[in-house]
Amino acid sequence: TMTQVHHQAQLPFARERVFAYVNDYRSVPDWMFGLNKFDPLTEQTSGVGSTFDASMKLGPKTLHTKIKCTEWVENEQITLESIDGFSVSMSWSFADADAGTELSVVFDYQLPGGLAGRALGAVIEPAISGVIKHTEAELLKGVTGSDAA
């Protein structure tokens, strides 16, 4: 079964600036909690078809996945879905807000069945909300310090 986590954040920056920062694969390990590897597997490093090798440490577990961008609309939407390894999909939506940008994140993941899946779920589920809160704080710091105009 898929588990889905939603989160919305308000960032006091122009949408183009927030999008540019989130869209830069080199910045991803800086703001995505637990992510210790996000390496391009394709020459293309952004947009539909770009593919990455990712590892994320959650609690005692390190999850490996190959992830591909399946949806990309400049300044509006980035969707990444796993094509191999840990089953995950992440969708980031960017909208204008009164004081900057509203960022919506939907994180779907699928655990393996049986005892292994239940054990993994016990570790991952509480970690995911921490991941998202940490990610929001790091995004705020990263976008603040980014060179994007």
Side-chain angles (χ1 to χ4, degrees), residues 7-11 13-24 27-28 31 69 71-80 90-97 100-106 135 139 143:
H7 185 70
Q8 283 185 307
Q10 300 271 344
L11 298 169
F13 303 104
R15 188 159 50 131
E16 294 74 15
R17 182 168 170 178
V18 177
F19 182 90
Y21 184 73
V22 171
N23 188 54
D24 183 349
S27 74
V28 175
W31 55 263
C69 181
E71 200 179 343
W72 191 92
V73 180
E74 191 167 9
N75 301 325
E76 286 180 28
Q77 179 79 32
I78 301 171
T79 302
L80 300 169
M90 289 175 277
S91 193
W92 306 81
S93 308
F94 305 79
D96 290 329
T101 300
E102 183 171 59
L103 178 64
S104 302
V105 184
V106 179
T135 294
L139 270 174
V143 176

Side-chain angles (χ1 to χ4, degrees), residues 44-137:
Q44 180 187 343
T45 57
S46 134
V48 172
S50 56
T51 306
F52 303 88
D53 190 10
S55 300
M56 185 177 232
K57 189 165 172 44
L58 290 175
K61 283 285 212 199
T62 298
L63 306 171
H64 300 282
T65 188
K66 282 194 177 70
I67 203 157
K68 182 176 197 167
C69 181
T70 55
E71 200 179 343
W72 191 92
V73 180
E74 191 167 9
N75 301 325
E76 286 180 28
Q77 179 79 32
I78 301 171
T79 302
L80 300 169
E81 292 184 42
S82 58
I83 51 174
D84 190 28
F86 180 63
S87 180
V88 63
S89 103
M90 289 175 277
S91 193
W92 306 81
S93 308
F94 305 79
D96 290 329
D98 290 344
T101 300
E102 183 171 59
L103 178 64
S104 302
V105 184
V106 179
F107 195 95
D108 281 305
Y109 61 94
Q110 190 159 12
L111 297 171
L115 284 173
R118 283 205 293 279
L120 195 55
V123 168
I124 291 175
E125 283 165 33
I128 292 283
S129 65
V131 163
I132 288 173
K133 286 188 183 76
H134 172 93
T135 294
E136 184 178 346

